[in-house]
Amino acid sequence: MFKNYLKIAWRNLGKNKGYTFVNIAGLGIAFACSILIFLFCFFQLSFDNFHADGDRIFQPYLNFSTKEGIKKSGGMSFPFTPNLKAEYPEVEKAARIINLAGVVRYKDKVYESFVNGTDEDLLDIFTFPLITGSKSAALNGLSNIIITEATAKKIFVTEDPMDKTIQVQIDHQWQNFIVTGVLKDYPENSSIRFESFVRIENAPGYASLQNNWSAYNHYAYLKLKPSVTASAFQNKAQPFFEKYFKTTAEDAKKEGVAPDKNGHYTSLGLLPLTQIHFATDILGDSAAKALIYTMMSIALVILLIASFNFINLSIALSITRAKEMGVRKSLGAQKKQVFYQLFGESFLVFFMGWLIGIIAAAVLLIQAATIFKINLSLAFIFQTQIITLQLAGFFFITLLAGGYPAWSVSRFNAVEILKGKISLKRPGILRNTIIITQFTIACLLICCTIIVVQQTAYLRKIPLGFNKEQIISIPVTNEDNGNQVLQKFRQALANHTGIVSVTGSDINIGKGLDNRTSRATIGFEYNGKNVSTDWLRVDFDYLKTLDIPLLAGRDFSRLYSTDAAEAVIINQSMADAMGEKNAVGKFLWPDSSRPKLQVIGVIPDFHLYSLKNKMAPVTLNIFQQSNLNYIFVKVLPQNMESSMNLIKDLYKDIAPNSVFKASFMDLNVDKWFTEDQMVGKVIGVSSFVAILLSCMGLFAIAWLIIQQRTKEIRVRKVLGAGISSVLLLLSKDYLKLVLVAIIIASIGAWFLMNAWLKTFPYKINIEWWVFALMAILAITIAVLTVGYQSIRAALMNPVKSLRSE
């Protein structure tokens, strides 16, 4: 019986080639797009789910009440975590993680490798298994170091790394460490990324900072005991804040800051491990969970449109097969047998569409991974979990979208069918609803695409406050002294006509080839009020290199010996935070152990970080004891390529053991817009796919309906109807549905995109012409899709049709 169903199904699909092609092609495209999008979403949502006891692991963060509202900070001070663990037995394990170094040395050969400082509890909190070594002894000494398997292969190649001595450069000093363990490489879906760990006590200045509660320079992680809930512990830890953050609360009261809803000025927050990857409000540079759910919705919508096409076409085609079903029933076929036959055809169509989708997704996986900015291999698509989810989704969609038409047709009454009383000449409520839904989704995505492109273009046009053009950004590794590297570059480039200026900074603007981002913020009291500012170490000619003008005062100058230790330049936001209209000459005292700092100049606000952040107070200094991490070289526009080659050759001489990773600042700044560009690409491609599928469905529906109304059209033509009246007759119903879809989509797009735009501090206003353009595109596409079939029907000779009736 099954073989017979399959044979009949295959024969019927071959008989209706147009119907079969539209359905299989549409489903193949929909499955391919959805699989790729779901792979990305599954990868993002799987972050950090491989740790044992993950439900008990949290990242603590601090809640501060400010005039602008509650400010969340994931940065911790050195004494916070040890004291919290010591005073609260609810904390089973606790560990801090801080970046310490970027280079190691073995047998006089230097390797670029990032070294983190941490606590002994690290391996008891996270599931980072040791390949060799003992968990209890791996980090029990200050001179111990554990490295990943990849780092071991890079440094030791085929040697056994255990008990070998390697050197790590920390604060420009080489220190010896003994390898006491080799860790298995972390998986791609780990928020915590590392190459090696040493004890955090090796951090520069640890001895002087271990009791300093105001220096926030690292992240921490807690593992609570099994019986302890996060909310209960947060409440229980409040006395801890009243004890150690008393001064912070008192300062907030003086400034008239309102406490939180519980009456606290500072409090503890606990971020679950699986949410760390999405904590943009706490950690800043993280994935946006709203984006993941938006993309999942788009994938479901694409599948929905393809499924709607199938339902619509199946029901529309059922009238041409009504007599076949009637005859089968009259010969004794039961309702379930008719259902199985029709569902078998549906299953075959969906299976072929799914198979094509899988193949297309596998072929396009590398390109999709590039768009999504993630590392996905072909093996990922064939993981057991992924295959299980795909099969579950396939059977679910097939059962719903394929089962409904089969169930609907199997219910036809055999007597009425044979009497010719079954007719689909008038559009049904279901078909109209499906067409409206399809075009609503397509129109909604068109609007979203236009607005996303507009917003991204608007952000690109916003004045940054500096000139990003013709500037080469050169990362300096921890092995090299940035101050010395800068001086060597200045001396070597002094007489080159293609070089405009050379300067340095501890923070890059944009994201360079080293993929490092950092931010230093300090808070202190000024005239009885708390001020917070980004702290930026620069060097002479910084303003000149970036073309930042002065609003008041002067630039740093070599003519003033005190500039290198006792002078700062602030931006306008910092002057406003200080409450000074004329800030030049005022003194700041952020560190009571050092001299007061005099403001020598005020500059306009400029975007030091992504445009998703408002411009904040910034303080520039040239303190020589602080290191420079980046060298900026401004070159003439006509010599950019030759200047880059010149700098590359110089870098080999100045830092022979370091990898040259220079890039142009304008390209680095462009990476600020990477996520928005990805959203635009995904929505743009989804819009195209949605429109394509909707048009395919509308085209096939129009063709089937015109086939069923052929006799009516011929009679009208014989009675004198012209081509225009036939066109209007066949098109008006569809255009009405498209107009309804346009109205619904316009309202939906306005609300959705306004909510999205609210996440930006700098945003566009949605203009009326966006909806007008969408309406014109939708109507044009619908007219072309339906019009082609209508014109063909209107131009055919009515005599031939009527003769055959």
Side-chain angles (χ1 to χ4, degrees), residues 419-460:
K419 287 182 178 181
K421 291 185 179 180
I422 298 296
S423 175
L424 292 178
K425 289 182 180 179
R426 301 294 298 171
I429 294 174
L430 176 63
R431 190 178 70 218
N432 290 353
T433 303
I434 288 175
I435 291 173
I436 289 172
T437 304
Q438 286 179 314
F439 268 88
T440 297
I441 293 168
C443 292
L444 182 68
L445 290 174
I446 290 173
C447 280
C448 293
T449 302
I450 295 171
I451 293 170
V452 169
V453 170
Q454 275 188 293
Q455 174 65 13
T456 305
Y458 172 74
L459 292 176
R460 287 179 174 276

Side-chain angles (χ1 to χ4, degrees), residues 24-237:
I24 293 178
L27 288 168
I29 293 170
F31 274 120
C33 292
S34 300
I35 287 169
L36 290 173
I37 294 174
F38 273 121
L39 282 176
F40 167 75
C41 296
F42 180 80
F43 175 77
Q44 295 291 339
L45 294 172
S46 69
F47 262 73
D48 301 314
N49 66 357
F50 58 90
H51 295 285
D53 301 323
D55 59 328
R56 295 197 283 131
I57 301 173
F58 301 89
Q59 179 177 345
Y61 62 91
L62 307 176
N63 294 309
F64 295 102
S65 294
T66 67
K67 289 183 177 180
E68 291 76 27
I70 302 298
K71 179 183 177 182
K72 298 178 180 180
S73 174
M76 294 291 159
S77 58
F78 280 136
F80 180 89
T81 308
N83 280 276
L84 189 70
K85 182 185 177 184
E87 296 185 23
Y88 290 90
E90 290 85 356
V91 179
E92 184 177 300
K93 300 290 179 180
R96 299 162 290 177
I97 296 180
I98 188 173
N99 297 326
L100 289 186
V103 288
V104 298
R105 187 166 65 186
Y106 178 64
K107 292 183 177 179
D108 297 325
K109 190 172 182 180
V110 176
Y111 301 88
E112 194 172 284
S113 180
F114 292 102
V115 181
N116 294 324
T118 189
D119 291 295
E120 195 174 357
D121 283 351
L122 179 83
L123 299 181
D124 292 317
I125 297 175
F126 299 109
T127 307
F128 294 131
L130 281 164
I131 298 173
T132 55
S134 166
K135 185 189 290 188
S136 60
L139 287 170
N140 65 354
L142 295 183
S143 61
N144 292 5
I145 184 171
I146 53 176
I147 61 178
T148 62
E149 190 176 8
T151 304
K153 289 178 181 177
K154 179 170 66 175
I155 297 174
F156 298 99
V157 192
T158 57
E159 284 187 74
D160 181 5
M162 291 297 292
D163 300 321
K164 296 287 194 307
T165 299
I166 63 175
Q167 293 180 305
V168 179
Q169 190 184 58
I170 300 175
D171 199 24
H172 304 293
Q173 299 292 324
W174 290 104
Q175 298 183 32
N176 293 332
F177 291 90
I178 299 171
V179 178
T180 53
V182 178
L183 291 163
K184 185 178 179 181
D185 292 334
Y186 59 81
E188 284 291 330
N189 59 343
S190 174
S191 294
I192 301 172
R193 296 171 176 257
F194 53 88
E195 293 184 355
S196 54
F197 285 110
V198 298
R199 287 284 290 272
I200 198 169
E201 289 86 347
N202 292 292
Y206 182 85
S208 61
L209 293 173
Q210 62 180 331
N211 294 314
N212 186 330
W213 288 81
S214 60
Y216 307 108
N217 55 11
H218 67 277
Y219 293 133
Y221 301 90
L222 307 176
K223 184 175 184 180
L224 301 182
K225 289 185 176 178
S227 59
V228 182
T229 63
S231 58
F233 182 68
Q234 287 172 173
N235 293 330
K236 188 171 183 179

Side-chain angles (χ1 to χ4, degrees), residues 715-764:
V715 170
R716 287 180 178 274
K717 289 197 69 177
V718 169
L719 295 175
I723 294 176
S724 59
S725 62
V726 174
L727 281 174
L728 182 62
L729 172 72
L730 297 174
S731 305
K732 65 179 182 180
D733 290 334
Y734 297 108
L735 291 178
K736 288 178 183 177
L737 300 178
V738 172
L739 286 172
V740 172
I742 289 170
I743 294 170
I744 297 172
S746 298
I747 297 170
W750 190 87
F751 281 105
L752 283 174
M753 297 315 291
N754 262 314
W756 179 70
L757 288 171
K758 285 180 181 177
T759 63
F760 294 88
Y762 311 99
K763 56 183 179 292
I764 61 169

Side-chain angles (χ1 to χ4, degrees), residues 612-629:
K612 289 188 176 179
N613 303 306
K614 286 185 177 180
M615 288 188 285
V618 178
T619 301
L620 284 63
N621 69 84
I622 56 171
F623 302 156
Q624 298 299 314
Q625 64 268 32
S626 300
N627 198 28
L628 296 170
N629 299 322

Side-chain angles (χ1 to χ4, degrees), residues 12 29 117 168 192 198 272 297 359 397 423 538 640 648 689 775 804:
N12 282 322
I29 293 170
V168 179
I192 301 172
V198 298
S297 300
I359 295 170
I397 292 169
S423 175
V538 299
M640 292 175 66
K648 184 177 182 180
V689 172
S804 64

